[in-house]
């Protein structure tokens, strides 16, 4: 119970710090990795570790599934060529480069161990990339490329990790067999992911009639996909990613509105806890890890950590520049007009933050080679992985906004896009009413149509796209927002009256909760309509 109490209290502390980071617009992944450092230096805390065999099962399926769920399938398909180059080519290139550097720097580091380290630190983290780039005005295609890369490179990196680990445990490695198995494992993993996604889409669409059960199934689906794929000895990571992409693309037709709202809330809480927990675990083990590498000098450990981190950062640029130029050449050859801006290439190169997936892979390293022999250099590998995560998150994460400012990249306004989409939807709805509801009673037709006409008129008065980045006075949706805030104020009047009647016993609990939920959903909708950037 003591260890559980410590973890819960530390989770509470991490949640509080995350709250402050949200309030002051500080990237949460950086807060988490710094929390790990702080936890490691707090005296008296116990060393808490999970069984390495269950680390992947607990952390990877939900985190990858959540990342896949929020990846645009359309943008993913559109950018599949650069995503594949980065997610496969860059990962393998980074693995080899890190292995060469580690083997050259560290005398005790054998080639299999060096490749294992390279495989662990090779994939950038989707959560870190999206959290740090959010609100920086990057073009949606660049964000889609970062998300898609972070999604697929976890699969290629973890497959390389598996082969490096197998080579260490078994003592042999055949390149052509590894390449063939990589292809087979990947293909079967994608196939199993599609099958699980198809089956679950049928279950959600035809059989589920309760939002709580439906949300529960969304939590269990990634674990089912991962475990089934692992049972057949293929890529559980690719299976989870494929299932997430498949169901996400069809979520509008297979989930109810209530289950979607509930699932989004539950998944946000779960991923936040898992991200916090992984860095709490590394923080609780870090002191023990440092003791385990005390036979190395402090200067050597610093040089190794800094050197491996520098290789990870520099190798990304060495790959990105020629691969971008290659894509530009292929684009011309195929007569495709693709926008090219060298500034986006620099930002992409500087956005290779490592995070929770690399940390989970490091913690999943086995403790023992066999019953008598400990896993070689386990503590050193975990230390080096943490150095890479700390360096990339803190150095690259904190300087990315400054870099974007220095490059003078024109910010992309997601609000202007939202404005246009809202206009199209409202206009089409009004046209549908006029074309299909003309035989309705005049009063009923007027009431239905006026609701959308009011919204359309408010949209026209915002002048958001024309003035959002222009000179002079910017309205920025002021009229729209004022009207929306007025509606929220009136909802609060309704809520206050409802609560007063509930306290007086005039309203029973069931009716109270139903009306309260209705008011909450309406307020949520109104807040989402607000123009804030």
């Amino acid at each position: 119970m003591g260890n559980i109490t410590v973890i819960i209290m530390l989770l509470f502390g991490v949640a509080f710090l995350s709250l402050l980071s949200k309030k002051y617009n500080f990237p949460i992944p950086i807060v988490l990795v710094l929390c790990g450092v702080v936890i490691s230096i707090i005296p008296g805390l116990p060393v808490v570790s999970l069984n390495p065999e269950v680390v992947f099962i607990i952390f990877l399926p939900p985190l990858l599934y959540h990342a896949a769920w929020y990846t645009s399938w359309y943008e993913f398909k559109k950018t599949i060529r650069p995503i594949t180059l980065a997610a496969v080519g860059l990962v393998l290139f980074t693995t080899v480069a890190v292995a060469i550097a580690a083997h050259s720097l560290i005398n005790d580091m054998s080639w299999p161990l060096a490749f294992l380290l390279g495989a662990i630190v090779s994939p950038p983290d989707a959560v870190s990339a999206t959290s740090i780039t959010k609100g920086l005005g990057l073009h949606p295609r660049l964000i889609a490329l970062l998300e898609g890369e972070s999604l697929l490179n976890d699969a290629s990196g973890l497959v390389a990790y598996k082969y490096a680990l197998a080579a260490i445990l078994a003592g042999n490695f055949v390149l052509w067999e590894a390449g063939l198995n990589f292809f087979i494992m990947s293909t079967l993993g994608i196939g199993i992911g599609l099958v699980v996604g198809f089956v679950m889409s049928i279950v959600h669409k035809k059989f589920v009639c309760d939002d709580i059960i439906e949300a529960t199934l969304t939590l269990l689906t990634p674990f089912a996909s991962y475990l089934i794929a692992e049972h057949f000895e293929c890529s559980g990571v690719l299976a989870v990613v494929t299932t997430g992409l498949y169901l996400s693309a069809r979520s509008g037709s297979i989930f109810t509105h209530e289950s979607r709202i509930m699932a989004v809330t539950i998944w946000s809480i779960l991923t936040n806890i898992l991200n916090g927990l992984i860095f709490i675990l590394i923080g609780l083990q870090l002191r023990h890890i440092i003791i385990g590498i005390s036979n190395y000098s402090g200067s050597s450990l610093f040089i190794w950590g800094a050197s491996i981190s520098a290789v990870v950062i520099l190798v990304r640029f060495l790959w990105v520049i020629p691969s971008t130029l290659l894509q530009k050449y292929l684009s011309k050859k195929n007569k495709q007009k693709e926008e090219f801006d060298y500034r986006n290439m620099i930002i992409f190169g500087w956005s290779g933050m490592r995070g929770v997936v690399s940390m989970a892979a490091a913690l999943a390293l086995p403790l023992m080679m066999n019953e008598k022999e400990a896993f070689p250099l386990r503590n050193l590998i975990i230390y080096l992985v943490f150095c890479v995560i700390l360096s990339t998150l803190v150095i690259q994460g904190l300087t990315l906004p400054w870099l974007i400012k220095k490059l003078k990249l024109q910010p992309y306004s997601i609000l202007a896009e939202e404005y246009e989409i809202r206009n199209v939807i409202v206009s089409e709805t009004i046209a549908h009413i006029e074309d299909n509801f003309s035989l309705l009673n005049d009063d009923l037709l007027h009431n239905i149509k006026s609701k959308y006409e009011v919204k359309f008129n408010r949209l026209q008065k915002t002048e958001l796209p024309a003035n959002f980045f222009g000179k002079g006075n910017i309205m920025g949706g002021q009229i729209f927002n004022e009207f929306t805030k007025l509606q929220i104020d009136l909802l609060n009047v309704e809520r206050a009256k409802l609560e007063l009647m509930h306290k007086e016993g005039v309203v029973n609990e069931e009716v109270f909760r139903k009306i309260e939920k209705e008011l909450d959903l309406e307020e949520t909708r109104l807040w989402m309509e607000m123009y804030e950037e």
Side-chain angles (χ1 to χ4, degrees), residues 494-520:
E494 292 185 56
R495 188 179 285 110
K497 180 61 178 178
L498 177 66
E499 290 176 353
L500 179 63
M501 295 171 69
H502 182 241
K503 289 178 181 178
E504 294 174 348
V506 178
V507 182
N508 70 57
E509 194 68 23
E510 184 178 351
V511 173
F512 169 74
R513 294 300 175 191
K514 182 178 180 181
I515 298 177
E516 182 185 51
K517 183 178 180 181
E518 177 187 323
L519 294 173
D520 290 343

PDB file of all heavy atoms in Angstrom, residues 494-520:
ATOM      1  N   GLU A 494     -30.646  29.855 -15.865  1.00  0.00           N
ATOM      2  CA  GLU A 494     -31.435  28.620 -15.822  1.00  0.00           C
ATOM      3  C   GLU A 494     -30.856  27.638 -14.801  1.00  0.00           C
ATOM      4  O   GLU A 494     -31.600  27.023 -14.028  1.00  0.00           O
ATOM      5  CB  GLU A 494     -31.449  27.959 -17.209  1.00  0.00           C
ATOM      6  CG  GLU A 494     -32.220  28.722 -18.266  1.00  0.00           C
ATOM      7  CD  GLU A 494     -32.290  27.950 -19.569  1.00  0.00           C
ATOM      8  OE1 GLU A 494     -32.773  26.798 -19.546  1.00  0.00           O
ATOM      9  OE2 GLU A 494     -31.849  28.481 -20.615  1.00  0.00           O
ATOM     10  N   ARG A 495     -29.529  27.509 -14.810  1.00  0.00           N
ATOM     11  CA  ARG A 495     -28.873  26.554 -13.911  1.00  0.00           C
ATOM     12  C   ARG A 495     -29.068  26.955 -12.442  1.00  0.00           C
ATOM     13  O   ARG A 495     -29.303  26.101 -11.578  1.00  0.00           O
ATOM     14  CB  ARG A 495     -27.390  26.457 -14.250  1.00  0.00           C
ATOM     15  CG  ARG A 495     -26.674  25.344 -13.496  1.00  0.00           C
ATOM     16  CD  ARG A 495     -25.202  25.266 -13.883  1.00  0.00           C
ATOM     17  NE  ARG A 495     -25.018  24.667 -15.213  1.00  0.00           N
ATOM     18  CZ  ARG A 495     -24.632  25.321 -16.274  1.00  0.00           C
ATOM     19  NH1 ARG A 495     -24.385  26.620 -16.211  1.00  0.00           N
ATOM     20  NH2 ARG A 495     -24.483  24.683 -17.432  1.00  0.00           N
ATOM     21  N   ALA A 496     -28.971  28.268 -12.160  1.00  0.00           N
ATOM     22  CA  ALA A 496     -29.141  28.746 -10.781  1.00  0.00           C
ATOM     23  C   ALA A 496     -30.560  28.451 -10.275  1.00  0.00           C
ATOM     24  O   ALA A 496     -30.747  28.028  -9.130  1.00  0.00           O
ATOM     25  CB  ALA A 496     -28.846  30.242 -10.714  1.00  0.00           C
ATOM     26  N   LYS A 497     -31.545  28.667 -11.139  1.00  0.00           N
ATOM     27  CA  LYS A 497     -32.927  28.386 -10.751  1.00  0.00           C
ATOM     28  C   LYS A 497     -33.145  26.891 -10.541  1.00  0.00           C
ATOM     29  O   LYS A 497     -33.817  26.475  -9.569  1.00  0.00           O
ATOM     30  CB  LYS A 497     -33.882  28.909 -11.833  1.00  0.00           C
ATOM     31  CG  LYS A 497     -35.356  28.669 -11.531  1.00  0.00           C
ATOM     32  CD  LYS A 497     -35.783  29.382 -10.250  1.00  0.00           C
ATOM     33  CE  LYS A 497     -37.277  29.186  -9.973  1.00  0.00           C
ATOM     34  NZ  LYS A 497     -37.684  29.835  -8.704  1.00  0.00           N
ATOM     35  N   LEU A 498     -32.564  26.076 -11.418  1.00  0.00           N
ATOM     36  CA  LEU A 498     -32.681  24.625 -11.286  1.00  0.00           C
ATOM     37  C   LEU A 498     -32.058  24.147  -9.983  1.00  0.00           C
ATOM     38  O   LEU A 498     -32.646  23.313  -9.271  1.00  0.00           O
ATOM     39  CB  LEU A 498     -32.007  23.956 -12.489  1.00  0.00           C
ATOM     40  CG  LEU A 498     -31.973  22.419 -12.482  1.00  0.00           C
ATOM     41  CD1 LEU A 498     -33.391  21.854 -12.596  1.00  0.00           C
ATOM     42  CD2 LEU A 498     -31.096  21.901 -13.615  1.00  0.00           C
ATOM     43  N   GLU A 499     -30.874  24.661  -9.639  1.00  0.00           N
ATOM     44  CA  GLU A 499     -30.196  24.246  -8.407  1.00  0.00           C
ATOM     45  C   GLU A 499     -30.979  24.680  -7.166  1.00  0.00           C
ATOM     46  O   GLU A 499     -31.017  23.954  -6.169  1.00  0.00           O
ATOM     47  CB  GLU A 499     -28.775  24.826  -8.382  1.00  0.00           C
ATOM     48  CG  GLU A 499     -27.841  24.182  -9.409  1.00  0.00           C
ATOM     49  CD  GLU A 499     -26.480  24.832  -9.439  1.00  0.00           C
ATOM     50  OE1 GLU A 499     -26.313  25.869  -8.759  1.00  0.00           O
ATOM     51  OE2 GLU A 499     -25.589  24.315 -10.151  1.00  0.00           O
ATOM     52  N   LEU A 500     -31.571  25.877  -7.229  1.00  0.00           N
ATOM     53  CA  LEU A 500     -32.381  26.340  -6.113  1.00  0.00           C
ATOM     54  C   LEU A 500     -33.589  25.435  -5.893  1.00  0.00           C
ATOM     55  O   LEU A 500     -33.907  25.047  -4.756  1.00  0.00           O
ATOM     56  CB  LEU A 500     -32.836  27.781  -6.372  1.00  0.00           C
ATOM     57  CG  LEU A 500     -33.736  28.408  -5.295  1.00  0.00           C
ATOM     58  CD1 LEU A 500     -32.988  28.500  -3.962  1.00  0.00           C
ATOM     59  CD2 LEU A 500     -34.222  29.789  -5.742  1.00  0.00           C
ATOM     60  N   MET A 501     -34.260  25.056  -6.984  1.00  0.00           N
ATOM     61  CA  MET A 501     -35.412  24.150  -6.889  1.00  0.00           C
ATOM     62  C   MET A 501     -34.987  22.775  -6.395  1.00  0.00           C
ATOM     63  O   MET A 501     -35.719  22.121  -5.646  1.00  0.00           O
ATOM     64  CB  MET A 501     -36.098  24.041  -8.260  1.00  0.00           C
ATOM     65  CG  MET A 501     -36.718  25.336  -8.754  1.00  0.00           C
ATOM     66  SD  MET A 501     -37.297  25.240 -10.463  1.00  0.00           S
ATOM     67  CE  MET A 501     -38.679  24.107 -10.274  1.00  0.00           C
ATOM     68  N   HIS A 502     -33.779  22.352  -6.775  1.00  0.00           N
ATOM     69  CA  HIS A 502     -33.271  21.055  -6.322  1.00  0.00           C
ATOM     70  C   HIS A 502     -33.007  21.074  -4.821  1.00  0.00           C
ATOM     71  O   HIS A 502     -33.330  20.115  -4.102  1.00  0.00           O
ATOM     72  CB  HIS A 502     -31.976  20.727  -7.080  1.00  0.00           C
ATOM     73  CG  HIS A 502     -31.392  19.399  -6.732  1.00  0.00           C
ATOM     74  ND1 HIS A 502     -30.134  19.261  -6.186  1.00  0.00           N
ATOM     75  CD2 HIS A 502     -31.898  18.140  -6.823  1.00  0.00           C
ATOM     76  CE1 HIS A 502     -29.883  17.988  -5.971  1.00  0.00           C
ATOM     77  NE2 HIS A 502     -30.932  17.289  -6.351  1.00  0.00           N
ATOM     78  N   LYS A 503     -32.433  22.167  -4.320  1.00  0.00           N
ATOM     79  CA  LYS A 503     -32.165  22.288  -2.891  1.00  0.00           C
ATOM     80  C   LYS A 503     -33.463  22.336  -2.074  1.00  0.00           C
ATOM     81  O   LYS A 503     -33.523  21.858  -0.941  1.00  0.00           O
ATOM     82  CB  LYS A 503     -31.346  23.545  -2.622  1.00  0.00           C
ATOM     83  CG  LYS A 503     -29.901  23.454  -3.106  1.00  0.00           C
ATOM     84  CD  LYS A 503     -29.151  24.755  -2.844  1.00  0.00           C
ATOM     85  CE  LYS A 503     -27.714  24.655  -3.349  1.00  0.00           C
ATOM     86  NZ  LYS A 503     -26.980  25.929  -3.158  1.00  0.00           N
ATOM     87  N   GLU A 504     -34.482  22.918  -2.675  1.00  0.00           N
ATOM     88  CA  GLU A 504     -35.769  23.035  -1.978  1.00  0.00           C
ATOM     89  C   GLU A 504     -36.613  21.774  -2.086  1.00  0.00           C
ATOM     90  O   GLU A 504     -37.701  21.690  -1.517  1.00  0.00           O
ATOM     91  CB  GLU A 504     -36.546  24.233  -2.535  1.00  0.00           C
ATOM     92  CG  GLU A 504     -35.878  25.581  -2.237  1.00  0.00           C
ATOM     93  CD  GLU A 504     -36.591  26.732  -2.915  1.00  0.00           C
ATOM     94  OE1 GLU A 504     -37.450  26.461  -3.792  1.00  0.00           O
ATOM     95  OE2 GLU A 504     -36.294  27.896  -2.577  1.00  0.00           O
ATOM     96  N   GLY A 505     -36.122  20.798  -2.858  1.00  0.00           N
ATOM     97  CA  GLY A 505     -36.843  19.534  -2.991  1.00  0.00           C
ATOM     98  C   GLY A 505     -37.973  19.562  -3.984  1.00  0.00           C
ATOM     99  O   GLY A 505     -38.787  18.635  -4.033  1.00  0.00           O
ATOM    100  N   VAL A 506     -38.033  20.607  -4.808  1.00  0.00           N
ATOM    101  CA  VAL A 506     -39.107  20.718  -5.798  1.00  0.00           C
ATOM    102  C   VAL A 506     -38.846  19.789  -6.986  1.00  0.00           C
ATOM    103  O   VAL A 506     -39.775  19.288  -7.627  1.00  0.00           O
ATOM    104  CB  VAL A 506     -39.234  22.183  -6.280  1.00  0.00           C
ATOM    105  CG1 VAL A 506     -40.327  22.311  -7.343  1.00  0.00           C
ATOM    106  CG2 VAL A 506     -39.515  23.097  -5.107  1.00  0.00           C
ATOM    107  N   VAL A 507     -37.554  19.555  -7.277  1.00  0.00           N
ATOM    108  CA  VAL A 507     -37.163  18.724  -8.422  1.00  0.00           C
ATOM    109  C   VAL A 507     -36.542  17.437  -7.905  1.00  0.00           C
ATOM    110  O   VAL A 507     -35.653  17.468  -7.039  1.00  0.00           O
ATOM    111  CB  VAL A 507     -36.137  19.464  -9.309  1.00  0.00           C
ATOM    112  CG1 VAL A 507     -35.765  18.622 -10.511  1.00  0.00           C
ATOM    113  CG2 VAL A 507     -36.679  20.809  -9.738  1.00  0.00           C
ATOM    114  N   ASN A 508     -37.010  16.289  -8.422  1.00  0.00           N
ATOM    115  CA  ASN A 508     -36.386  15.025  -7.998  1.00  0.00           C
ATOM    116  C   ASN A 508     -35.040  14.842  -8.698  1.00  0.00           C
ATOM    117  O   ASN A 508     -34.727  15.514  -9.673  1.00  0.00           O
ATOM    118  CB  ASN A 508     -37.314  13.829  -8.254  1.00  0.00           C
ATOM    119  CG  ASN A 508     -37.487  13.515  -9.730  1.00  0.00           C
ATOM    120  OD1 ASN A 508     -36.534  13.277 -10.440  1.00  0.00           O
ATOM    121  ND2 ASN A 508     -38.741  13.523 -10.185  1.00  0.00           N
ATOM    122  N   GLU A 509     -34.245  13.903  -8.198  1.00  0.00           N
ATOM    123  CA  GLU A 509     -32.865  13.754  -8.635  1.00  0.00           C
ATOM    124  C   GLU A 509     -32.753  13.421 -10.120  1.00  0.00           C
ATOM    125  O   GLU A 509     -31.891  13.947 -10.833  1.00  0.00           O
ATOM    126  CB  GLU A 509     -32.171  12.663  -7.812  1.00  0.00           C
ATOM    127  CG  GLU A 509     -30.662  12.634  -7.942  1.00  0.00           C
ATOM    128  CD  GLU A 509     -29.996  13.852  -7.329  1.00  0.00           C
ATOM    129  OE1 GLU A 509     -30.600  14.498  -6.444  1.00  0.00           O
ATOM    130  OE2 GLU A 509     -28.879  14.176  -7.755  1.00  0.00           O
ATOM    131  N   GLU A 510     -33.626  12.542 -10.610  1.00  0.00           N
ATOM    132  CA  GLU A 510     -33.544  12.109 -12.007  1.00  0.00           C
ATOM    133  C   GLU A 510     -33.797  13.261 -12.967  1.00  0.00           C
ATOM    134  O   GLU A 510     -33.066  13.462 -13.937  1.00  0.00           O
ATOM    135  CB  GLU A 510     -34.538  10.973 -12.269  1.00  0.00           C
ATOM    136  CG  GLU A 510     -34.442  10.406 -13.671  1.00  0.00           C
ATOM    137  CD  GLU A 510     -35.406   9.243 -13.891  1.00  0.00           C
ATOM    138  OE1 GLU A 510     -36.016   8.774 -12.911  1.00  0.00           O
ATOM    139  OE2 GLU A 510     -35.546   8.822 -15.050  1.00  0.00           O
ATOM    140  N   VAL A 511     -34.859  14.059 -12.677  1.00  0.00           N
ATOM    141  CA  VAL A 511     -35.181  15.202 -13.532  1.00  0.00           C
ATOM    142  C   VAL A 511     -34.070  16.253 -13.443  1.00  0.00           C
ATOM    143  O   VAL A 511     -33.673  16.852 -14.446  1.00  0.00           O
ATOM    144  CB  VAL A 511     -36.536  15.812 -13.119  1.00  0.00           C
ATOM    145  CG1 VAL A 511     -36.805  17.102 -13.888  1.00  0.00           C
ATOM    146  CG2 VAL A 511     -37.657  14.806 -13.359  1.00  0.00           C
ATOM    147  N   PHE A 512     -33.569  16.455 -12.212  1.00  0.00           N
ATOM    148  CA  PHE A 512     -32.498  17.437 -12.014  1.00  0.00           C
ATOM    149  C   PHE A 512     -31.265  17.092 -12.836  1.00  0.00           C
ATOM    150  O   PHE A 512     -30.702  17.943 -13.526  1.00  0.00           O
ATOM    151  CB  PHE A 512     -32.134  17.513 -10.525  1.00  0.00           C
ATOM    152  CG  PHE A 512     -30.886  18.298 -10.240  1.00  0.00           C
ATOM    153  CD1 PHE A 512     -30.893  19.683 -10.322  1.00  0.00           C
ATOM    154  CD2 PHE A 512     -29.697  17.653  -9.911  1.00  0.00           C
ATOM    155  CE1 PHE A 512     -29.742  20.417 -10.072  1.00  0.00           C
ATOM    156  CE2 PHE A 512     -28.545  18.371  -9.657  1.00  0.00           C
ATOM    157  CZ  PHE A 512     -28.563  19.762  -9.744  1.00  0.00           C
ATOM    158  N   ARG A 513     -30.823  15.821 -12.784  1.00  0.00           N
ATOM    159  CA  ARG A 513     -29.626  15.412 -13.511  1.00  0.00           C
ATOM    160  C   ARG A 513     -29.831  15.511 -15.020  1.00  0.00           C
ATOM    161  O   ARG A 513     -28.903  15.862 -15.764  1.00  0.00           O
ATOM    162  CB  ARG A 513     -29.234  13.981 -13.128  1.00  0.00           C
ATOM    163  CG  ARG A 513     -28.785  13.825 -11.688  1.00  0.00           C
ATOM    164  CD  ARG A 513     -27.578  14.676 -11.378  1.00  0.00           C
ATOM    165  NE  ARG A 513     -27.217  14.617  -9.962  1.00  0.00           N
ATOM    166  CZ  ARG A 513     -26.335  15.433  -9.392  1.00  0.00           C
ATOM    167  NH1 ARG A 513     -25.753  16.386 -10.107  1.00  0.00           N
ATOM    168  NH2 ARG A 513     -26.062  15.323  -8.114  1.00  0.00           N
ATOM    169  N   LYS A 514     -31.013  15.197 -15.496  1.00  0.00           N
ATOM    170  CA  LYS A 514     -31.282  15.254 -16.931  1.00  0.00           C
ATOM    171  C   LYS A 514     -31.209  16.684 -17.456  1.00  0.00           C
ATOM    172  O   LYS A 514     -30.552  16.960 -18.472  1.00  0.00           O
ATOM    173  CB  LYS A 514     -32.653  14.652 -17.231  1.00  0.00           C
ATOM    174  CG  LYS A 514     -32.989  14.632 -18.727  1.00  0.00           C
ATOM    175  CD  LYS A 514     -34.330  13.984 -18.979  1.00  0.00           C
ATOM    176  CE  LYS A 514     -34.631  13.973 -20.484  1.00  0.00           C
ATOM    177  NZ  LYS A 514     -35.940  13.358 -20.781  1.00  0.00           N
ATOM    178  N   ILE A 515     -31.882  17.610 -16.739  1.00  0.00           N
ATOM    179  CA  ILE A 515     -31.870  19.005 -17.177  1.00  0.00           C
ATOM    180  C   ILE A 515     -30.477  19.607 -17.006  1.00  0.00           C
ATOM    181  O   ILE A 515     -30.023  20.394 -17.846  1.00  0.00           O
ATOM    182  CB  ILE A 515     -32.924  19.825 -16.395  1.00  0.00           C
ATOM    183  CG1 ILE A 515     -34.332  19.272 -16.674  1.00  0.00           C
ATOM    184  CG2 ILE A 515     -32.854  21.306 -16.774  1.00  0.00           C
ATOM    185  CD1 ILE A 515     -35.427  19.961 -15.891  1.00  0.00           C
ATOM    186  N   GLU A 516     -29.786  19.233 -15.942  1.00  0.00           N
ATOM    187  CA  GLU A 516     -28.428  19.719 -15.720  1.00  0.00           C
ATOM    188  C   GLU A 516     -27.506  19.286 -16.864  1.00  0.00           C
ATOM    189  O   GLU A 516     -26.694  20.079 -17.366  1.00  0.00           O
ATOM    190  CB  GLU A 516     -27.894  19.194 -14.386  1.00  0.00           C
ATOM    191  CG  GLU A 516     -26.497  19.687 -14.039  1.00  0.00           C
ATOM    192  CD  GLU A 516     -25.962  19.054 -12.770  1.00  0.00           C
ATOM    193  OE1 GLU A 516     -26.009  17.802 -12.674  1.00  0.00           O
ATOM    194  OE2 GLU A 516     -25.501  19.795 -11.893  1.00  0.00           O
ATOM    195  N   LYS A 517     -27.620  18.025 -17.296  1.00  0.00           N
ATOM    196  CA  LYS A 517     -26.819  17.534 -18.405  1.00  0.00           C
ATOM    197  C   LYS A 517     -27.144  18.282 -19.697  1.00  0.00           C
ATOM    198  O   LYS A 517     -26.236  18.620 -20.477  1.00  0.00           O
ATOM    199  CB  LYS A 517     -27.059  16.030 -18.594  1.00  0.00           C
ATOM    200  CG  LYS A 517     -26.217  15.405 -19.694  1.00  0.00           C
ATOM    201  CD  LYS A 517     -26.469  13.916 -19.800  1.00  0.00           C
ATOM    202  CE  LYS A 517     -25.616  13.296 -20.907  1.00  0.00           C
ATOM    203  NZ  LYS A 517     -25.865  11.838 -21.041  1.00  0.00           N
ATOM    204  N   GLU A 518     -28.424  18.563 -19.911  1.00  0.00           N
ATOM    205  CA  GLU A 518     -28.843  19.308 -21.092  1.00  0.00           C
ATOM    206  C   GLU A 518     -28.223  20.699 -21.111  1.00  0.00           C
ATOM    207  O   GLU A 518     -27.704  21.156 -22.140  1.00  0.00           O
ATOM    208  CB  GLU A 518     -30.369  19.417 -21.107  1.00  0.00           C
ATOM    209  CG  GLU A 518     -30.933  20.236 -22.255  1.00  0.00           C
ATOM    210  CD  GLU A 518     -32.429  20.444 -22.109  1.00  0.00           C
ATOM    211  OE1 GLU A 518     -33.121  19.512 -21.652  1.00  0.00           O
ATOM    212  OE2 GLU A 518     -32.894  21.553 -22.424  1.00  0.00           O
ATOM    213  N   LEU A 519     -28.219  21.374 -19.961  1.00  0.00           N
ATOM    214  CA  LEU A 519     -27.620  22.702 -19.871  1.00  0.00           C
ATOM    215  C   LEU A 519     -26.102  22.636 -20.060  1.00  0.00           C
ATOM    216  O   LEU A 519     -25.507  23.511 -20.702  1.00  0.00           O
ATOM    217  CB  LEU A 519     -27.956  23.339 -18.519  1.00  0.00           C
ATOM    218  CG  LEU A 519     -29.439  23.660 -18.270  1.00  0.00           C
ATOM    219  CD1 LEU A 519     -29.653  24.136 -16.839  1.00  0.00           C
ATOM    220  CD2 LEU A 519     -29.934  24.718 -19.249  1.00  0.00           C
ATOM    221  N   ASP A 520     -25.483  21.610 -19.500  1.00  0.00           N
ATOM    222  CA  ASP A 520     -24.030  21.449 -19.649  1.00  0.00           C
ATOM    223  C   ASP A 520     -23.643  21.229 -21.106  1.00  0.00           C
ATOM    224  O   ASP A 520     -22.654  21.800 -21.595  1.00  0.00           O
ATOM    225  CB  ASP A 520     -23.537  20.276 -18.796  1.00  0.00           C
ATOM    226  CG  ASP A 520     -23.615  20.564 -17.309  1.00  0.00           C
ATOM    227  OD1 ASP A 520     -23.726  21.750 -16.943  1.00  0.00           O
ATOM    228  OD2 ASP A 520     -23.573  19.606 -16.515  1.00  0.00           O
TER     229      ASP A 520
END
